[in-house]
Amino acid sequence: MSEKLFEFVTAGSPRVVSGAIEQLAVGLGSLTGIVVPWESDRTTMCMAIASTQGEGWALEHTNLGTVRLTDLGNETTRVEILADLQNHPENQRLAKLFARFSSEVQSRLQVAQ
């Protein structure tokens, strides 16, 4: 079960916004953000946000949540950030990491209302 943390509108197409979100994840050091094509369609792009630990081929990925990007037309995108941490032993630490990431995404990308 997912919990919606944020929902807002931003400038740019879902493809442009997804690139910005990927860069924010990389900037935090232990996160990755990747587009999940099989959960996306013509107007909505879904991204998995995961915590990564390890090196080289021995990387462990723990799914933290989903970012759903919906094309609203006119170069605007609705961003929904959903947390999914219910069954992980490090739930509290990872929840804080995802909350910090989500806040950063919102503060950098949200268009003033």
Side-chain angles (χ1 to χ4, degrees):
M1 185 172 184
S2 297
E3 173 188 352
K4 188 181 292 189
L5 298 180
F6 295 103
E7 181 175 346
F8 59 90
V9 174
T10 190
S13 69
R15 182 174 301 276
V16 168
V17 174
S18 71
I21 291 171
E22 285 177 19
Q23 291 304 310
L24 287 170
V26 168
L28 287 177
S30 61
L31 293 179
T32 58
I34 59 169
V35 173
V36 183
W38 56 90
E39 291 183 10
S40 303
D41 59 34
R42 193 174 59 78
T43 60
T44 303
M45 182 180 288
C46 289
M47 299 180 71
I49 306 300
S51 169
T52 55
Q53 295 178 358
E55 294 181 22
W57 293 98
L59 279 178
E60 176 186 340
H61 292 84
T62 302
N63 186 49
L64 303 179
T66 301
V67 176
R68 188 176 304 130
L69 306 171
T70 304
D71 189 347
L72 300 176
N74 297 322
E75 291 297 309
T76 58
T77 297
R78 180 176 54 240
V79 179
E80 295 173 90
I81 302 175
L82 306 149
D84 185 19
L85 297 170
Q86 55 194 333
N87 294 321
H88 196 276
E90 292 187 73
N91 194 1
Q92 192 171 26
R93 182 185 72 79
L94 293 174
K96 287 179 183 176
L97 177 63
F98 189 68
R100 189 176 92 201
F101 166 76
S102 299
S103 292
E104 186 73 16
V105 168
Q106 183 186 30
S107 69
R108 297 243 184 142
L109 298 180
Q110 185 171 9
V111 174
Q113 301 288 318

